Amino acid sequence: MKSLTNKNILLAVTGSISAYKSPNIIRKLQELGAQVKVILTNSGSQFITKLSLEIISKNKVYDDLWAENEEMAHINLTRWADVFLIAPASANTINKLANGHANDLLTTTVLASNIPLIIAPAMNQQMFKTIENNLNQLKNKGVISIEEFGEQACGDIGLGRFADTNKIIEVIIKQFQTTELTGKKILITVGATIENIDPVRYISNRSSGKMGVALANTCIEFGAEVYVIYGNISTQLPQKSKNIKVNTADEMFQAVMDNIKDCDIFIGCAAVADYKVKKISPQKIKKHADEINLTLIKNKDIITEVAKNYPNIFIVGFAAESENLLENAKNKLKNKQLNMIIANQISDKNIGFEVDENEVTILTKNKHFFIEKNNKKKIAKKIIKKIINFL
């Protein structure tokens, strides 16, 4: 698996002669599996064209805060991205960011961002000395600055030389490396189960598996050994987890029980069918009668059985609700004896099932935390960090 697979990098190119090196950064990121989108400032466009960056990134380049059909680009770009890289970062850009300016697409996007911000300054050594106080101010706020000493385009030697591409890539990769879950074994159920009616038809639901896979990828990123038991999904599974395919709720129950031993955390993210058909027809049911009756019987409750039999495991459930969200989630948390439950509203078609974004509330026995609408990768990271805090 490439080290930046499924990662989204937002690259801003500002006014420096070093802007000509930006295409190489984009290619390197793509080779490692990342998706790259670009913000090009007006000054940056004096050194490299928008068209060149669009062709190389294979994505639209953003250059205007007020562009038509780009409503809230400064919000949507930072929601999409996992890391924000400004390379090259000009003296003017650093000064504006240090002083909280918000007069163009780049500066407003930085202010709207809560993701890691990395800058690679590129300027004359004397200019670097002049802006160093502002640069230190940004670093004190958590901005990562990649600085390099050496010969510059003007012939001077000193700090302000644009950092080597490989050094920039290494810093980006480090943002996704953590050992907070090293040594932990985590079992996650993902996707929808299928309950057969006959050889053609079945009962299922709209779960895509995207939330569960996002959680699995985050656990892997944090150093855990991850087992994924998955049903019907419409997304790509992690390559670094042990993946076990099932179809029915009974099969998922058995796979969980076969693999739960020695786990530290169990996350029941799958949308498991509550009921199954009592008698499956061995042949396709013909369309003769105006009505047919199916008798359904209850499936085993997987997460309840795990909680009952493995009290030392940290157990996280999900509550997908169309009404009384928090009340229903609290009841499930208590009745199923879970450590944590993630509640999400399914009546809003823009979040939850089948889409890339979600909005959830994390509930524990005494606390609850609301996570506003964002892409599922970022939601997953916030959930896992909350779990780590409770371990």
Side-chain angles (χ1 to χ4, degrees):
M1 182 178 179
K2 297 177 181 178
S3 55
L4 293 177
T5 298
N6 297 324
K7 301 299 185 290
N8 295 334
I9 312 299
L10 180 59
L11 169 66
V13 180
T14 70
S16 165
I17 184 62
S18 298
Y20 81 90
K21 296 182 179 180
S22 298
N24 192 39
I25 295 174
I26 295 170
R27 289 193 193 95
K28 289 281 188 180
L29 290 169
Q30 290 171 332
E31 287 171 5
L32 292 171
Q35 282 283 326
V36 183
K37 290 185 179 180
V38 179
I39 293 174
L40 178 63
T41 66
N42 184 55
S43 296
S45 68
Q46 303 301 307
F47 297 93
I48 190 167
T49 68
K50 179 178 180 179
L51 179 61
S52 297
L53 293 170
E54 284 185 336
I55 291 171
I56 294 163
S57 69
K58 300 179 179 65
N59 279 310
K60 174 183 173 59
V61 168
Y62 300 82
D63 61 353
D64 185 0
L65 178 62
W66 308 108
E68 292 184 13
N69 303 319
E70 292 299 339
E71 184 179 358
M72 296 196 301
H74 63 299
I75 302 294
N76 293 328
L77 285 171
T78 190
R79 283 180 176 172
W80 170 85
D82 298 302
V83 165
F84 197 164
L85 169 66
I86 305 176
S90 67
N92 182 52
T93 298
I94 291 170
N95 286 338
K96 288 167 72 175
L97 295 179
N99 289 283
H101 288 207
N103 62 344
D104 60 11
L105 180 58
L106 172 56
T107 53
T108 53
T109 305
V110 170
L111 287 181
S113 169
N114 63 353
I115 57 177
L117 175 60
I118 303 168
I119 62 174
M123 65 199 71
N124 167 267
Q125 54 86 23
Q126 184 56 49
M127 295 173 69
F128 186 90
K129 291 176 183 177
T130 304
I131 62 93
E132 198 162 10
N133 284 339
N134 280 338
L135 180 59
N136 287 335
Q137 186 176 327
L138 290 175
K139 287 165 24 176
N140 289 337
K141 292 178 180 178
V143 175
I144 300 165
S145 179
I146 310 172
E147 300 154 23
E148 192 161 302
F149 184 97
E151 186 174 355
Q152 299 165 347
C154 61
D156 285 357
I157 296 176
L159 282 170
R161 175 186 171 90
F162 188 53
D164 178 74
T165 296
N166 288 332
K167 185 176 180 180
I168 293 172
I169 300 300
E170 286 175 8
V171 173
I172 293 172
I173 291 172
K174 284 181 180 179
Q175 305 312 304
F176 302 102
Q177 294 177 338
T178 175
T179 58
E180 291 177 276
L181 288 176
T182 298
K184 302 294 185 184
K185 180 181 175 183
I186 301 175
L187 179 60
I188 304 176
T189 60
V190 173
T193 59
I194 289 174
E195 304 300 332
N196 292 320
I197 297 172
D198 63 18
V200 177
R201 305 173 183 90
Y202 58 81
I203 299 170
S204 191
N205 57 67
R206 292 166 44 217
S207 175
S208 63
K210 291 179 179 180
M211 190 71 247
V213 168
L215 288 163
N217 279 320
T218 302
C219 290
I220 293 166
E221 186 180 303
F222 279 43
E225 177 188 3
V226 179
Y227 286 64
V228 175
I229 298 173
Y230 68 100
N232 191 30
I233 61 173
S234 58
T235 189
Q236 188 173 355
L237 289 163
Q239 295 182 17
K240 290 188 176 181
S241 56
K242 181 178 179 181
N243 302 320
I244 302 166
K245 179 71 172 78
V246 298
N247 290 306
T248 67
D250 284 340
E251 290 175 4
M252 183 168 282
F253 174 84
Q254 191 58 52
V256 168
M257 291 304 161
D258 288 345
N259 291 278
I260 195 69
K261 188 179 179 181
D262 300 326
C263 281
D264 299 285
I265 301 169
F266 174 68
I267 304 176
C269 191
V272 183
D274 294 321
Y275 294 89
K276 62 184 175 183
V277 178
K278 184 176 183 180
K279 186 176 181 180
I280 300 171
S281 173
Q283 305 297 330
K284 180 183 176 183
I285 299 172
K286 299 299 182 181
K287 188 172 64 175
H288 296 312
D290 290 335
E291 294 182 1
I292 62 169
N293 293 314
L294 295 174
T295 301
L296 303 180
I297 57 175
K298 189 179 288 188
N299 278 315
K300 293 177 182 177
D301 192 313
I302 297 172
I303 203 163
T304 298
E305 290 299 313
V306 172
K308 183 170 67 175
N309 291 290
Y310 297 92
N312 294 326
I313 294 176
F314 191 91
I315 302 173
V316 182
F318 273 72
E321 303 290 341
S322 59
E323 60 181 356
N324 303 323
L325 178 65
L326 296 184
E327 180 183 347
N328 288 337
K330 287 177 183 177
N331 288 335
K332 286 185 178 180
L333 178 73
K334 180 181 178 181
N335 296 337
K336 296 176 185 286
Q337 299 182 24
L338 311 180
N339 300 100
M340 179 182 289
I341 195 161
I342 316 300
N344 65 290
Q345 182 65 250
I346 61 171
S347 57
D348 185 345
K349 294 182 179 179
N350 296 312
I351 57 174
F353 286 141
E354 301 178 310
V355 296
D356 294 328
E357 293 189 319
N358 210 349
E359 178 181 284
V360 304
T361 301
I362 300 174
L363 294 93
T364 61
K365 183 178 180 180
N366 299 314
K367 296 180 180 180
H368 68 271
F369 313 89
F370 176 69
I371 301 178
E372 65 182 10
K373 182 179 176 182
N374 213 321
N375 70 61
K376 288 180 177 178
K377 290 192 298 181
K378 291 188 178 180
I379 296 287
K381 185 163 286 189
K382 291 180 179 181
I383 291 171
I384 296 305
K385 285 185 175 180
K386 285 295 182 186
I387 292 172
I388 290 169
N389 289 340
F390 279 91
L391 293 179

